[in-house]
Structure formats: C-alpha cells, structure tokens
Amino acid sequence: MADITHLPMEQLQDLEYCIDSNPPWVETILLAFQNYILVLGTSVMIPSMLVPIMGGSDGDKARVIQTLLFVGGINTLLQALFGTRLPAVVGGSFAYVIPIAYIIGDSSLQSIDDSHERFIQTMRAIQGALIVASSIQIILGYSQVWGLFSRQLSVIFFSPLGMAPVVGLVGLGLFQRGFPALGSCVEIGIPMLLLVIGLSQYLKHVRLIRDVPIFERFPVLICVTIVWIYALILTASGAYRDKPTLTQRSCRTDRANLISTAPWFMFPYPLQWGPPTFSAGHAFSMMSPVLVSMIESTGAYKAASRLAIATPPPAYVLSRGIGWQGIGILLDGLFGTGTGSTVSVENVGLLGLSRVGSRRVVQISAGFMIFFSILGKFGAVFASIPFPIFNALYCVLFGLVASVGLSFLQFTNMNSMRNLIVTGLSLFLGISVPQFFNEYWTPSRQGLVHTRAGWFNAFLNTIFSSPPTVGLIVAVFLDNTLEVEKSKKDRGMPWWAKFRTFRGDNRNEEFYTLPFNLNRFFPPT
C-alpha cells in the first residue's frame, strides 16, 4: 500500500493550456480550424441521412449542411461568451433523429407528390416542432429551475458516483458511430485509427517546428490530410469501380455531391424555407430529444470542465448554459437546420487529445463554422471528407470522454459493494437498454414502442435510446434507495459539496464570470 501515491486530483495536471490561457496565435488558429474539421462529421452525416428521405435534392442537402454549420457557429459563440463559458462546440445532435423520422412519416406530408414541395413542408413542420420544444430548455434554464434542481438534489443527481456513469455514457453510448461505422470502409478507417493513435500518443513528444509538439497538438489536421489524400488516390485509381453502392458511398471522395451542388455564396437567414407550421403531436414528440440533449449536454459540460482544467460548473452556470442552449434550439427552428443542437462530444474529447482547453480556440472555431458555411464551395470541399475518417477519430475521442467520466470515481469509495453495484448497473443498462431499443427502430417501424399515437412512440423511443438518460435514471434510482444516509462519504459528497454553488469555490469566478462586466446585471445565485 505504501507504493500507491496517486491521490485524487480535482484538476488534470498534464494539460498544456487551461480554459483562460491561450496558445500563440498561429497555434490558436490551427487548433480552431482543427475543431472546425472535426465538427463537420456530424454536421454532414445528419443532413445526408435525413434530407433524402424528406424528399430533398443534393442541392437541398448542401443548403441544410451550410445552415446547420452557420447556426452551430452562432450557438458556439453564444455558449462560450454568455452560457457556461466552457470551450464546448455546439453542433447537430443525433438525439433528434427519431422524432424527425416520425414527422417525415406523417401521412399529411407523405401524401405530397412533388418531392421538393414535400421537403419544404417537412422542413417547416420540423421548424415548428423545434421552436415549441425549445421553450423547455429556455424556461428550465432562465428560471433557474435546472440550477436549483441540480443544487438542491445534487446528493442524488450530481454526486461523483451518480455523475460518473452519466458522463461516461456520453462517450460510451456513441460506440455505434465508432468502429461499426468505420467498418464500412476498413481500408480508410483502420489506417486513420492507427495513425491517430500512433502520432498523438507514441510520437507526441516529437518537436519539429519551434519546439511545438505538432503531432500531439494537431493530430486531427495531420491525420485527416494524410488519409484524405490516400482516399483520393484510391478513388482516382479506380479501386472502387465495381464495388457495391454502400462501399462506394463510404469510401469514394467524389460521391457526396456537395462540391457541385453547393452555392458559391449563401447567407442563411431565418425562415428561409418559409413560415414554420405547428402541430401538437410533432411538438410533443420533439420535447423528448430536448430533454435528452439537456442531460447529455450536462454530462458533456462536466467532461469539458475537467479537460479545460476548470472546476466543475456550479448549478448556476449549468442553468445559464441550458438556457442558452434552449435559445440555440430556437435558432435551429427559425433558420431550419433540420435537427436540434447539443454539445459536440467529439470536440470535447479533442480538448484532451490536443491537451488544449482554451476558450479562445473554440470561439475562433465558431468563426470558421460561420465563414465556411457562407462560402459554400470552399466549405463543401472539407465537407466531402469520407465518413470513415471521422469514425476513426470518434473511436479515440468518444473513448477519451468516457474515461473522463469514469475519472470522477476517484472521489468515491470503490471498495464499497454498494458503489460497485450502482456504477456497474448504470453503465451496463445505460448501454444495453438503448441497444435493445435501437435494434427495433427503423423509419418505417418507428421503434419498440409502437402504439397508434406516433408522437408517444417517438417520445418514449427517444428517451430510452439515449445511454446517458437511461444511465441517469438507473443511477438516480439506485443511489436514492440503497443505504443513502450512511453512504454519503462513500459517494464522494464531501468533495462535491463545495462545487454546488457559484461562491462555493473562489476559482469559479475566474472560470465562469461573464464578460463585459455583465455579472452586475446577472449576478450568480
């Protein structure tokens, strides 16, 4: 026992730049562009999946991608300046896919014969549902209900023991977007995965330019460039000429049809698809991913704070961030992004991979998102990167976020059988239950819950398809019913208590105070 010296650490010690320290400007700009490249994956995947079944053309898909990136850039800036102030990129969320599929399958929309008109009417229906559903996060955030909820009930919901599986499942729950998707083109995906691990971990101390560890600092830029060129060579050489359609779509660099269809210049604007249409069933179904994204984002904020060498965000900061996230979903509805938004988990993981948690880097990356969404052709060049390249990155980045969640267990007594049961069941059911629901979900069958009320199906199928949400439900129940009073110390509550309020730790002001002296008008509570 005398040789065990790894004491619990409130903040990670081996990161280079924290939330309010900044690399040199050249590094900052390159790091920001690296964040932009990474967020392209989800921003292209979601419209590529949804727009065709909505009846949209390749040109419509390109416009939706541009709009999603444009609004994502605005939401990232708002969150970094006035929300949690953490270096978290805000982008499109897969949590909204099930309710959107329910809206797409609405009989009144499916009866429209003209495909482009069906796309427009479906987009307007999605916009209306997002606008109404965004009110949940806006109300819970700005009314301080979410903050009060998390502060008063932090013994249950935000103890280290309860939070570890939730944050861990934010990463682990996305496993299907890792190797299962990478396997659609192994000749690109596996070299990318090996190259990322090799450069960022085994060669991370190599310094070639001005004593900068470029392989550790810019692994995404370097590896994406190398493997993208390799994919271009395979495509140009005719390696996929007689391959199945799915293989060609995954591997080829010329099948996205984004560069040819994207306009040279497009400035997204509110109501560009027409006035939103409103339906009670659509709106109610859309409330489920809004609730899910709130839970998932809370876990992502906890991970981002740890990777940015900040204190865990207190209840007031979480509430403020959720309020601004609600504003972001409202903007998604007004502009017509085709989906709602949440914190980008992969970009949170990149904070740890590059060892840079600077807020300024993320703010500049938001500028890249806005700039390249307006200059459509240039943005489309980067958006045409084959998906398996991103999936290889996700294997590393999602795993890193998962391990950050598990690191909260160091503040608990993991020699307690009670704690082992809570953690194990939360993690296992958090993965197993959503997998069970996902196996039964297709756009036509609409999931395991299949009543005559489509909105009800979409609501429950969305809730139970979210690993962090299921993990939170299990952890809350077990942690609140198993030997609660005598297990406070084992659950890590003495360590967690000082982070519940804004004034509980004097470092909170350094990390989370609003800019431009706005705390005078919005004092922490």
Side-chain angles (χ1 to χ4, degrees):
M1 293 293 293
D3 295 333
I4 300 177
T5 58
H6 307 298
L7 299 175
M9 303 290 288
E10 290 183 354
Q11 295 172 300
L12 300 176
Q13 302 298 305
D14 56 349
L15 300 180
E16 197 72 26
Y17 296 96
C18 70
I19 187 172
D20 50 5
S21 63
N22 304 303
W25 274 107
V26 173
E27 285 186 52
T28 297
I29 292 172
L30 288 174
L31 286 164
F33 187 69
Q34 183 169 245
N35 269 280
Y36 161 73
I37 290 294
L38 188 58
V39 81
L40 280 175
T42 300
S43 300
V44 175
M45 287 178 193
I46 296 176
S48 296
M49 176 173 58
L50 294 176
V51 170
I53 62 176
M54 291 165 64
S57 62
D58 287 336
D60 294 324
K61 179 177 70 175
R63 286 185 64 192
V64 173
I65 291 171
Q66 288 175 260
T67 303
L68 182 56
L69 282 169
F70 181 83
V71 178
I74 294 174
N75 288 338
T76 300
L77 274 179
L78 291 175
Q79 195 62 247
L81 286 172
F82 309 115
T84 60
R85 305 217 71 216
L86 288 166
V89 173
V90 179
S93 171
F94 278 90
Y96 292 80
V97 168
I98 293 177
I100 289 173
Y102 158 67
I103 295 173
I104 293 172
D106 191 299
S107 57
S108 63
L109 296 170
Q110 287 297 314
S111 63
I112 302 174
D113 294 328
D114 182 79
S115 59
H116 182 69
E117 180 63 20
R118 186 171 74 253
F119 165 76
I120 294 295
Q121 294 301 326
T122 304
M123 178 63 78
R124 291 166 63 184
I126 294 171
Q127 287 181 255
L130 285 170
I131 290 171
V132 174
S134 68
S135 61
I136 293 179
Q137 289 195 7
I138 293 173
I139 293 171
L140 289 178
Y142 292 124
S143 69
Q144 298 288 319
V145 170
W146 184 248
L148 291 171
F149 175 78
S150 63
R151 184 168 62 206
Q152 298 301 326
L153 300 181
S154 58
V155 172
I156 305 170
F157 291 93
F158 296 104
S159 68
L161 183 66
M163 211 62 216
V166 176
V167 180
L169 287 167
V170 167
L172 291 175
L174 296 170
F175 71 93
Q176 288 182 322
R177 290 169 58 193
F179 208 90
L182 177 155
S184 63
C185 189
V186 291
E187 57 266 43
I188 293 176
I190 289 181
M192 180 68 186
L193 178 60
L194 296 176
L195 193 61
V196 170
I197 296 173
L199 293 188
S200 66
Q201 302 306 310
Y202 292 96
L203 299 179
K204 64 182 179 181
H205 297 302
V206 174
R207 300 170 185 265
L208 301 177
I209 303 174
R210 296 176 56 189
D211 205 33
V212 176
I214 60 170
F215 294 137
E216 179 183 57
R217 196 76 81 239
F218 311 108
V220 172
L221 283 182
I222 295 172
C223 296
V224 166
T225 301
I226 293 173
V227 179
W228 193 14
I229 292 173
Y230 167 60
L232 284 168
I233 294 173
L234 288 178
T235 301
S237 65
Y240 305 111
R241 189 170 295 127
D242 300 319
K243 298 295 183 181
T245 303
L246 180 61
T247 301
Q248 296 202 32
R249 192 183 302 124
S250 300
C251 300
R252 293 181 69 103
T253 59
D254 57 357
R255 285 302 172 93
N257 294 329
L258 292 176
I259 300 175
S260 60
T261 56
W264 280 101
F265 178 87
M266 187 196 88
F267 192 88
Y269 56 91
L271 309 183
Q272 60 185 328
W273 311 106
T277 57
F278 299 93
S279 163
H282 295 170
F284 191 83
S285 68
M286 196 65 76
M287 289 179 184
S288 56
V290 169
L291 292 171
V292 164
S293 70
M294 187 164 58
I295 294 171
E296 292 179 349
S297 293
T298 298
Y301 290 139
K302 296 284 186 179
S305 67
R306 191 150 177 77
L307 289 171
I309 324 180
T311 54
Y316 169 81
V317 173
L318 284 176
S319 192
R320 192 172 69 193
I322 292 301
W324 278 107
Q325 190 166 300
I327 295 293
I329 297 171
L330 176 63
L331 292 177
D332 290 328
L334 290 174
F335 279 82
T337 61
T339 186
S341 56
T342 190
V343 177
S344 172
V345 179
E346 52 267 37
N347 288 85
V348 171
L350 185 59
L351 301 177
L353 190 67
S354 63
R355 299 206 307 164
V356 176
S358 169
R359 183 189 295 123
R360 179 183 291 172
V361 168
V362 167
Q363 291 171 339
I364 295 176
S365 72
F368 278 119
M369 293 165 70
I370 295 171
F371 177 77
F372 283 111
S373 64
I374 295 173
L375 298 180
K377 291 287 187 187
F378 293 99
V381 171
F382 301 112
S384 63
I385 298 171
F387 290 152
I389 292 179
F390 291 107
N391 298 133
L393 289 169
Y394 296 160
C395 290
V396 178
L397 300 175
F398 292 162
L400 182 53
V401 172
S403 64
V404 170
L406 297 180
S407 74
F408 284 110
L409 292 175
Q410 68 182 302
F411 307 110
T412 69
N413 177 15
M414 291 312 291
N415 291 315
S416 163
M417 186 59 67
R418 174 199 183 275
N419 288 1
L420 291 174
I421 290 173
V422 172
T423 304
L425 275 176
S426 302
L427 287 171
F428 186 82
L429 292 179
I431 295 174
S432 187
V433 172
Q435 176 66 16
F436 178 61
F437 272 74
N438 288 333
E439 285 178 0
Y440 283 85
W441 188 86
T442 62
S444 58
R445 292 185 60 188
Q446 298 184 3
L448 184 65
V449 180
H450 193 64
T451 67
R452 292 184 179 181
W455 55 268
F456 182 75
N457 302 337
F459 190 95
L460 285 186
N461 286 322
T462 300
I463 293 292
F464 288 103
S465 295
S466 166
T469 305
V470 175
L472 180 63
I473 293 171
V474 176
V476 164
F477 177 77
L478 295 176
D479 208 19
N480 196 36
T481 55
L482 293 176
E483 303 173 345
V484 180
E485 287 303 318
K486 69 177 185 179
S487 302
K488 280 188 175 180
K489 190 173 181 180
D490 285 348
R491 294 157 66 196
M493 292 314 302
W495 174 79
W496 197 263
K498 62 182 176 181
F499 301 119
R500 295 182 202 167
T501 63
F502 190 84
R503 302 295 181 188
D505 190 296
N506 56 15
R507 294 170 296 178
N508 287 339
E509 294 191 35
E510 174 188 354
F511 300 133
Y512 300 116
T513 296
L514 291 172
F516 315 123
N517 209 18
L518 288 175
N519 269 52
R520 291 185 306 166
F521 307 103
F522 306 98
T525 56

